[in-house]
Amino acid sequence: MPLEQALERLLAMADQAPVQHTERLSLAQADGRVLAVDLVSTLDLPPWSNSAMDGYALRLADWHGEPLPVSQRIQAGQAPGPLAAGTCARIFTGAPVPAGADCVEMQENADVLDDGRVRFTEPLSLNQNIRPQGQETRIGELVLPAGTRLGPIELGLAASLGHAELDVVRKVRVAVLSTGDELIDPGQPLGPGQIYNSNRRLLVSWLQRLGCEVIDAGILPDDLEQTRQRLTALGDAELILSTGGVSVGEADFLGIALREEGELALWKLAIKPGKPLTFGHFRGVPVIGLPGNPASTLVTFALLARPYLLRRMGVADVAPLAFDVPAGFVWSKAGNRREYLRGRLDNGRAVIYPNQSSGVLRSAAWAEGLVEVLEGRTLVEGDRVRFIPLSEVLC
Ligand code: AMP
Ligand code: MG
């Protein structure tokens, strides 16, 4: 199955199961969350015209080359009276422009005479150095649509409009399951045949960054009865995300349990790493089974599970920013699956980690992004490849 088709199906499922509840949080708590309702401005921003410079405010029509007396001094935070005709006002950055003034000249272009009057040394123009009322936003304007992910910039913008709290989408509850008899958690001695569970930490940390409520459901042995029991115990999750146990040739306990108690689709994705992916329901709870090799887990989570989860939280545009760069490597053997190589940018060219095995997570720690090589393609240096920065998908 092509990646686009799998993504389309997952997003269609997500659209049918949006998170319904919202909560009102302080700006401090809303970081990383999804805005639940349109943020409409209840202010003009700036609320009044103000000076962009330290200098002098005047009415342009009063300036004929004769020095002007200074009739008032206006600092940021003050509310000035109207400008007296034939005078100018000392004004500072951010201070309201007094009624009647239509020009601010910076102090560097003003000579203060001994008698205190001010002469301007450069030509003046209407509205110069004035930040007009409402230049950023007007009352009633849509500033951030519902479904916007809130980060420092959006929170800063909400603060500039006077909001102390925002309505956000409640966190999605995601249960993380690691399947495999060989897995043990770090901190314990490694027995024969065992490996440490890396996917659990990878996914739990990643999900927390995405603004999910994580149920860490630990390690699940390769055993049908235990699989049934564990899935049953996760009935209040809104998504069960498991890794491992979906490779071809292995007894697929997750698949059997899903078939018995719900429904199952097993997709052979035309991507590498990350070929097998399970999507189904267990007693009504959506289940995504990612392949177990850590680099496969990473790629399928980044390209499929992440957009699915964001869409359930109401985010419309879930595609990560990506761009084309010249390849700084040779790709001589065309594959029948689309490759997502772990690579980085070297002087603007994509270079790849030498070992692209799906079991090697270190490739991704070295990398800055995923380098997409389309199916059937070979590459010589300088050919264009798509680059998806990891920073785009890790949040
Ligand atoms: P599986 O899909 O269960 O056949 O797993 C494929 C490969 O990924 C095997 O080498 C597993 O040992 C490895 N693997 C599965 N789950 C994990 C995990 N949670 N952490 C690290 N490696 C894993
Ligand atoms: Mg396994």
Side-chain angles (χ1 to χ4, degrees):
M1 182 184 292
L3 181 73
E4 292 80 7
Q5 193 180 338
L7 184 60
E8 204 177 294
R9 289 195 190 178
L10 281 176
L11 293 182
M13 301 300 289
D15 285 334
Q16 285 168 27
V19 176
Q20 299 287 4
H21 294 90
T22 66
E23 55 188 331
R24 181 161 297 184
L25 297 182
S26 70
L27 294 191
Q29 294 170 309
D31 190 13
R33 305 291 291 275
V34 175
L35 188 64
V37 290
D38 288 346
L39 189 72
V40 174
S41 184
T42 52
L43 284 180
D44 280 353
L45 208 62
W48 15 258
S49 296
N50 67 94
S51 177
M53 290 285 176
D54 291 347
Y56 297 88
L58 67 151
R59 184 184 292 115
L60 202 54
D62 288 345
W63 174 245
H64 308 289
E66 270 301 298
L68 297 177
V70 178
S71 57
Q72 58 175 322
R73 178 184 170 90
I74 315 162
Q75 281 175 310
Q78 296 181 336
L83 183 69
T87 73
C88 65
R90 183 76 170 113
I91 196 166
F92 297 91
T93 305
V97 172
D102 54 16
C103 172
V104 169
E105 179 57 306
M106 62 171 112
Q107 61 195 21
E108 289 82 352
N109 296 339
D111 283 343
V112 183
L113 307 184
D114 288 344
D115 63 7
R117 289 181 306 154
V118 177
R119 179 194 298 127
F120 301 107
T121 57
E122 299 292 327
L124 302 174
S125 58
L126 194 64
N127 295 324
Q128 76 177 30
N129 298 320
I130 293 178
R131 306 192 280 216
Q133 175 177 349
Q135 75 165 359
E136 180 164 358
T137 185
R138 292 260 177 214
I139 291 178
E141 229 178 274
L142 174 61
V143 179
L144 295 171
T148 299
R149 294 189 74 200
L150 300 169
I153 294 171
E154 292 74 18
L155 294 172
L157 189 55
S160 74
L161 291 166
H163 293 274
E165 298 178 324
L166 291 173
D167 289 318
V168 302
V169 176
R170 190 180 47 66
K171 291 185 174 188
V172 200
R173 262 192 319 281
V174 183
V176 175
L177 262 182
S178 314
T179 77
D181 285 339
E182 75 280 27
L183 300 176
I184 62 161
D185 279 314
Q188 303 174 49
L190 199 62
Q194 294 185 316
I195 60 166
Y196 288 119
N197 182 358
S198 49
N199 289 338
R200 176 186 192 176
R201 184 40 38 210
L202 172 79
L203 290 178
V204 169
S205 295
W206 202 340
L207 287 161
Q208 283 166 344
R209 284 189 176 202
L210 288 183
C212 299
E213 180 186 329
V214 183
I215 305 168
D216 184 350
I219 294 170
L220 175 63
D222 293 313
D223 174 84
L224 182 58
E225 190 42 41
Q226 293 201 51
T227 302
R228 286 194 194 110
Q229 280 173 19
R230 198 71 71 84
L231 291 176
T232 306
L234 295 174
D236 65 346
E238 291 164 294
L239 173 70
I240 298 171
L241 190 62
S242 85
T243 61
V246 289
S247 315
V248 185
E250 183 175 342
D252 175 6
F253 301 108
L254 182 70
I256 296 170
L258 291 185
R259 248 184 236 107
E260 286 172 354
E261 293 283 346
E263 62 202 89
L264 166 79
L266 183 62
W267 298 338
K268 289 199 176 95
L269 300 176
I271 61 170
K272 187 180 175 186
K275 184 172 166 187
L277 189 115
T278 297
F279 184 81
H281 286 89
F282 187 85
R283 301 188 179 172
V285 181
V287 181
I288 295 180
L290 304 177
N293 275 308
S296 308
T297 303
L298 174 110
V299 167
T300 49
F301 186 86
L303 301 179
L304 293 162
R306 175 186 180 273
Y308 166 86
L309 278 167
L310 290 179
R311 181 58 66 79
R312 285 190 63 183
M313 294 189 257
V315 180
D317 182 10
V318 294
L321 175 104
F323 45 86
D324 286 352
V325 293
F329 62 97
V330 173
W331 194 253
S332 43
K333 200 166 149 262
N336 55 3
R337 291 188 277 157
R338 191 176 303 177
E339 304 252 2
Y340 288 94
L341 307 169
R342 276 72 69 213
R344 42 160 91 164
L345 295 180
D346 178 17
N347 281 315
R349 299 187 149 221
V351 293
I352 56 173
Y353 193 74
N355 186 337
Q356 292 288 333
S357 160
S358 58
V360 175
L361 190 57
R362 199 175 163 192
S363 61
W366 178 89
E368 296 164 338
L370 299 174
V371 181
E372 186 184 71
V373 180
L374 296 179
E375 45 276 52
R377 278 281 318 256
T378 56
L379 298 173
V380 295
E381 288 205 25
D383 283 350
R384 315 287 298 171
V385 286
R386 201 131 189 89
F387 189 84
I388 307 169
L390 282 175
S391 56
E392 270 292 302
V393 290
L394 281 172
C395 57

